[in-house]
Amino acid sequence: MLGAVLLGALGCGDGGTGPAGDSDGTRLAGQFERLADSVDDAGYSPTADALRHAAEIVRLAGHATPVTVTIDGASRSFLAVTEQLDFPNLQCSWPSDSVVAPPGDTVVVEPPDSGGVPPSGGLMAEDSVANPPPPGTPGECTEVGTYSMRTVIAWEPDNMAEVVRIVADVGSNGVETGVPDVMMGLPTNTSGSEAGPLDAPPVPGDSAGGGGGSAVYPGFMGEYLVRELGSWYAVEGTQVNALETAGGACTSDRAAFDWAEFSCQAARFRFEFAMRVEPLRFVGGPERVPEAGPLPDQPEGSHTLAMAATRIDGARLSVVAWTPPPVPVPGPLPPDSAVAGR
């Protein structure tokens, strides 16, 4: 079965960027969705969201591309799919008494008698916030251009026991902690604060004509997920990506993520990376609430991962419509709230 998967994907990858039919992409997407459910049950819900995003990308691409990933010096045969996401930069504001959650999977607990989470990430005084708007209330947002990020996700094809993800700015760059994981959720910038990343000037697109990139979130983040063991995140490394070809048909011409709708073109990207990853460290401490449950087992050690320059099929998604994101209201600290160890 594994040989048939690899041969089928190889045939798709050599003949252009269009889909090879819905069956292979649908089958692979189903595997990702089942893995997402398993990861979610283990307490890694942000990573589960990213895996569900990956399911949609492989479904749109219709197939995967064989790649070689080196893990701790050993060459491994994986399958992979790539993506370019052209999403709107939104400058948003919510009512002054709204509760705003910090980005990504850095989450802090809200005490029962508090109205929200302070920007510093500590516990908020009892009377700091009152009467937050109901969840789902839309914000007031202004689109400040469009920004592009590229992702590659590769997995061990037998049973998806290992998954490697890169989320990167266009072009060549290194690991940065502030890069939003667009596979987990589209970022927004709240107004009324100090000058944020959306105030950065645009820079030219990459030499391969990828276009759309800017200096909003320069750098990349990387994750190495091992089923039943946990996640490791990149703490140092480099990556290079470029658009090779684009313009073919996806299995569907539309896709929706979070608060935006996208058109889809089949595309092929070139990716290479080398990174060192360290374990995800779960946030505990005296403020942890009982409802969060026990901490999952902690992964140990560090790993080095690399992939030589490889052309990988995928999809380019360009925003065609969006709605203001709802007021973000954090709940109690979930068991997957964590930061990468250093």
Side-chain angles (χ1 to χ4, degrees), residues 9-20 61 63 65 245-246 248-249 266-268 312-314:
L10 181 61
C12 298
D14 286 346
T17 58
H63 61 275
T65 302
T245 57
R268 177 175 294 161
I312 305 171
D313 289 349

Short mmCIF file of all heavy atoms in Angstrom, two decimals, residues 9-20 61 63 65 245-246 248-249 266-268 312-314:
data_model
loop_
_atom_site.label_atom_id
_atom_site.label_comp_id
_atom_site.label_asym_id
_atom_site.label_seq_id
_atom_site.Cartn_x
_atom_site.Cartn_y
_atom_site.Cartn_z
N ALA A 9 1.77 9.29 -5.99
CA ALA A 9 2.11 10.68 -5.73
C ALA A 9 3.24 11.14 -6.63
O ALA A 9 3.26 12.27 -7.11
CB ALA A 9 2.50 10.86 -4.27
N LEU A 10 4.22 10.27 -6.89
CA LEU A 10 5.32 10.63 -7.77
C LEU A 10 4.82 10.92 -9.17
O LEU A 10 5.21 11.89 -9.81
CB LEU A 10 6.36 9.51 -7.79
CG LEU A 10 7.60 9.75 -8.66
CD1 LEU A 10 8.35 10.98 -8.15
CD2 LEU A 10 8.51 8.53 -8.64
N GLY A 11 3.89 10.11 -9.66
CA GLY A 11 3.33 10.35 -10.98
C GLY A 11 2.62 11.68 -11.05
O GLY A 11 2.70 12.40 -12.04
N CYS A 12 1.92 12.06 -9.99
CA CYS A 12 1.23 13.33 -9.96
C CYS A 12 2.21 14.47 -9.93
O CYS A 12 2.02 15.49 -10.58
CB CYS A 12 0.32 13.42 -8.72
SG CYS A 12 -0.97 12.17 -8.68
N GLY A 13 3.29 14.34 -9.15
CA GLY A 13 4.22 15.44 -8.97
C GLY A 13 5.02 15.74 -10.22
O GLY A 13 5.50 16.85 -10.38
N ASP A 14 5.22 14.80 -11.13
CA ASP A 14 6.05 15.04 -12.29
C ASP A 14 5.30 15.67 -13.45
O ASP A 14 5.90 16.19 -14.38
CB ASP A 14 6.65 13.70 -12.79
CG ASP A 14 7.76 13.23 -11.88
OD1 ASP A 14 8.21 14.05 -11.06
OD2 ASP A 14 8.15 12.06 -11.99
N GLY A 15 3.97 15.64 -13.44
CA GLY A 15 3.23 16.02 -14.63
C GLY A 15 2.54 17.35 -14.57
O GLY A 15 1.56 17.56 -15.26
N GLY A 16 2.98 18.26 -13.71
CA GLY A 16 2.32 19.56 -13.63
C GLY A 16 1.68 19.75 -12.27
O GLY A 16 1.78 18.91 -11.39
N THR A 17 1.05 20.93 -12.11
CA THR A 17 0.55 21.28 -10.80
C THR A 17 -0.93 21.04 -10.62
O THR A 17 -1.48 21.33 -9.58
CB THR A 17 0.85 22.77 -10.53
OG1 THR A 17 0.23 23.55 -11.56
CG2 THR A 17 2.33 23.03 -10.52
N GLY A 18 -1.62 20.53 -11.62
CA GLY A 18 -3.05 20.29 -11.48
C GLY A 18 -3.34 19.08 -10.64
O GLY A 18 -2.48 18.22 -10.43
N PRO A 19 -4.56 18.96 -10.12
CA PRO A 19 -4.91 17.80 -9.28
C PRO A 19 -4.99 16.53 -10.09
O PRO A 19 -5.27 16.53 -11.28
CB PRO A 19 -6.29 18.20 -8.72
CG PRO A 19 -6.85 19.13 -9.74
CD PRO A 19 -5.68 19.89 -10.29
N ALA A 20 -4.73 15.42 -9.42
CA ALA A 20 -4.78 14.12 -10.08
C ALA A 20 -6.13 13.45 -9.88
O ALA A 20 -6.26 12.27 -10.10
CB ALA A 20 -3.67 13.23 -9.52
N ALA A 61 -5.19 20.18 -3.27
CA ALA A 61 -4.12 19.81 -4.20
C ALA A 61 -4.44 18.51 -4.92
O ALA A 61 -4.04 18.31 -6.07
CB ALA A 61 -2.79 19.69 -3.45
N HIS A 63 -3.30 15.54 -4.30
CA HIS A 63 -2.25 14.53 -4.17
C HIS A 63 -1.12 15.10 -3.34
O HIS A 63 -1.13 16.28 -2.98
CB HIS A 63 -1.72 14.10 -5.55
CG HIS A 63 -1.09 15.24 -6.32
ND1 HIS A 63 -1.83 16.09 -7.10
CD2 HIS A 63 0.19 15.67 -6.39
CE1 HIS A 63 -1.03 17.00 -7.64
NE2 HIS A 63 0.20 16.76 -7.22
N THR A 65 3.44 14.93 -2.70
CA THR A 65 4.71 14.76 -3.40
C THR A 65 5.69 14.02 -2.50
O THR A 65 5.86 14.41 -1.34
CB THR A 65 5.30 16.14 -3.77
OG1 THR A 65 4.37 16.84 -4.59
CG2 THR A 65 6.62 15.98 -4.53
N THR A 245 5.80 27.27 -10.15
CA THR A 245 4.75 27.43 -11.16
C THR A 245 3.41 27.58 -10.46
O THR A 245 3.24 27.15 -9.32
CB THR A 245 4.68 26.21 -12.11
OG1 THR A 245 4.46 25.02 -11.33
CG2 THR A 245 5.95 26.04 -12.92
N ALA A 246 2.47 28.20 -11.14
CA ALA A 246 1.12 28.37 -10.59
C ALA A 246 0.15 28.55 -11.74
O ALA A 246 0.54 28.91 -12.86
CB ALA A 246 1.04 29.55 -9.63
N GLY A 248 -2.71 26.21 -12.34
CA GLY A 248 -3.55 25.07 -12.62
C GLY A 248 -4.81 25.08 -11.77
O GLY A 248 -5.05 25.99 -10.96
N ALA A 249 -5.63 24.05 -11.93
CA ALA A 249 -6.89 23.96 -11.21
C ALA A 249 -6.72 23.15 -9.93
O ALA A 249 -6.02 22.13 -9.91
CB ALA A 249 -7.95 23.30 -12.08
N ALA A 266 -3.79 25.65 -8.31
CA ALA A 266 -2.73 24.67 -8.09
C ALA A 266 -1.39 25.36 -8.30
O ALA A 266 -1.25 26.25 -9.15
CB ALA A 266 -2.88 23.49 -9.04
N ALA A 267 -0.40 24.99 -7.52
CA ALA A 267 0.91 25.63 -7.59
C ALA A 267 1.99 24.63 -7.18
O ALA A 267 1.70 23.59 -6.57
CB ALA A 267 0.97 26.87 -6.70
N ARG A 268 3.22 24.97 -7.52
CA ARG A 268 4.37 24.17 -7.09
C ARG A 268 5.39 25.12 -6.48
O ARG A 268 5.73 26.15 -7.06
CB ARG A 268 4.99 23.41 -8.27
CG ARG A 268 6.25 22.61 -7.90
CD ARG A 268 6.74 21.79 -9.08
NE ARG A 268 5.77 20.76 -9.42
CZ ARG A 268 5.74 20.14 -10.60
NH1 ARG A 268 6.60 20.47 -11.55
NH2 ARG A 268 4.84 19.20 -10.83
N ILE A 312 7.67 20.86 -4.58
CA ILE A 312 6.54 20.17 -3.95
C ILE A 312 5.25 20.81 -4.44
O ILE A 312 5.09 22.03 -4.42
CB ILE A 312 6.61 20.28 -2.41
CG1 ILE A 312 7.97 19.76 -1.90
CG2 ILE A 312 5.48 19.49 -1.77
CD1 ILE A 312 8.21 20.02 -0.43
N ASP A 313 4.31 19.98 -4.86
CA ASP A 313 3.01 20.48 -5.33
C ASP A 313 2.15 20.94 -4.16
O ASP A 313 2.28 20.45 -3.04
CB ASP A 313 2.28 19.39 -6.12
CG ASP A 313 2.92 19.11 -7.46
OD1 ASP A 313 3.80 19.89 -7.88
OD2 ASP A 313 2.56 18.10 -8.09
N GLY A 314 1.24 21.87 -4.48
CA GLY A 314 0.35 22.38 -3.45
C GLY A 314 -0.68 23.32 -4.03
O GLY A 314 -1.13 23.14 -5.17
#
